[in-house]
Amino acid sequence: MFVLADIEWTGEKIAEREATQIAAIKVDKKWNSIDTFTKLVKPDNGTYSSCHMAYNGGTEEDFCNADSAETVFENFDRWLSDEDIILWWHPDSLATFKKVFKKATGRKSKHESNIINKYIYYALTGSTDYYGTQYQIAFTHGIDTRFAKPHNSADDAEVIRLLLSGIGFRQENFLIPINEKTKASTVLPYQYDPVKETMHKTGCKKLKEENIKTIGCETLKKTNYKKQRCYK
């Protein structure tokens, strides 16, 4: 089962990060919510800053009376099923989760994880609304997120769920690795030929297999895809 998760934290460097809240949604095959996990985390050093966006979603009293990181992450681990795959919007979220989970529990998380945004960017490549936060992409697809407060983990996870459901993203896509050598796939509607510097639709006969290169957000930024493409 897939689990959509979001975590908020303080600290710029990974070694300094402390979790402030975590939320997760277990979903069925159609992205419907089955169960949720939402917890605030008591600051390790006892300090709270209402100005920090990581504390959205609660008052000072809420956070200072919350469970410790150890309790929260032990409970989160018990809430997950062994076969669950955790999906995080951004690589920073996964990296932070790994760090704070190990610090809180003394062990590494045993659950497989994947990053959502790279799949969304690849799936929507070629459109003008393929890049940004989950809120930005949801807005351009007409998905109402006015109820949500960014950097509130529960709201962030719910917006991810609404986005994946709203664009009809297939869950099996997350089981297919994406990297620079990925060949034609239904996950990737477009390919890039670095030799001729042109964009092609997946399966295009003009694109030689040996020249196929996965098109991602960084490549697209360097390519004038509106002009350098072989399709209309």
Side-chain angles (χ1 to χ4, degrees):
M1 181 177 295
F2 286 106
V3 177
L4 308 176
D6 181 83
I7 188 171
E8 297 297 322
W9 64 86
T10 58
E12 292 295 327
K13 297 180 180 179
I14 188 69
E16 301 171 348
R17 291 180 183 174
E18 301 290 345
T20 60
Q21 53 184 305
I22 183 171
I25 307 172
K26 289 185 179 181
V27 293
D28 64 15
K29 293 183 179 181
K30 294 185 178 180
W31 301 113
N32 295 310
S33 175
I34 295 176
D35 194 12
T36 60
F37 180 95
T38 304
K39 289 291 183 181
L40 303 181
V41 182
K42 184 176 183 177
D44 275 356
N45 55 11
T47 60
Y48 163 88
S49 173
S50 60
C51 297
H52 199 297
M53 61 187 179
Y55 290 105
N56 283 350
T59 65
E60 180 176 3
E61 184 178 5
D62 293 333
F63 281 98
C64 291
N65 290 329
D67 290 330
S68 66
E70 179 181 0
T71 299
V72 169
F73 287 103
E74 287 288 4
N75 288 340
F76 181 57
D77 198 47
R78 284 192 286 269
W79 178 77
L80 294 166
S81 301
D82 290 342
E83 67 276 12
D84 285 343
I85 299 174
I86 310 174
L87 301 178
W88 305 91
W89 179 258
H90 194 276
D92 263 0
S93 298
L94 173 56
T96 300
F97 170 72
K98 287 181 176 180
K99 185 267 179 183
V100 298
F101 182 91
K102 185 174 182 180
K103 180 181 178 181
T105 66
R107 64 183 184 278
K108 294 181 179 180
S109 172
K110 63 180 181 293
H111 289 89
E112 180 181 349
S113 291
N114 210 338
I115 305 302
I116 297 172
N117 66 5
K118 65 179 181 179
Y119 283 86
I120 299 299
Y121 298 161
Y122 284 14
L124 299 179
T125 293
S127 68
T128 58
D129 54 5
Y130 82 103
Y131 189 71
T133 69
Q134 65 264 45
Y135 287 88
Q136 293 168 326
I137 299 175
F139 176 79
T140 59
H141 283 81
I143 299 170
D144 188 0
T145 63
R146 288 175 294 179
F147 70 90
K149 189 174 184 179
H151 298 289
N152 175 324
S153 284
D155 288 351
D156 288 357
E158 176 62 9
V159 170
I160 292 171
R161 187 189 70 79
L162 292 173
L163 173 60
L164 292 170
S165 175
I167 65 174
F169 195 81
R170 295 180 299 163
Q171 291 186 0
E172 57 266 31
N173 290 344
F174 287 118
L175 302 177
I176 304 173
I178 290 182
N179 53 56
E180 285 299 310
K181 296 182 180 179
T182 300
K183 300 300 182 180
S185 163
T186 54
V187 174
L188 307 171
Y190 303 95
Q191 258 86 36
Y192 178 61
D193 181 345
V195 177
K196 295 184 177 181
E197 297 185 338
T198 53
M199 288 272 293
H200 299 257
K201 285 187 176 180
T202 295
C204 177
K205 294 181 180 180
K206 296 181 181 180
L207 181 60
K208 295 182 180 180
E209 184 176 354
E210 61 268 23
N211 288 343
I212 291 179
K213 184 181 179 70
T214 297
I215 179 68
C217 58
E218 291 304 317
T219 306
L220 190 58
K221 288 177 182 177
K222 300 175 184 177
T223 306
N224 188 346
Y225 69 95
K226 290 185 178 180
K227 294 182 179 180
Q228 297 172 235
R229 61 186 184 184
C230 76
Y231 58 90
K232 294 182 180 180

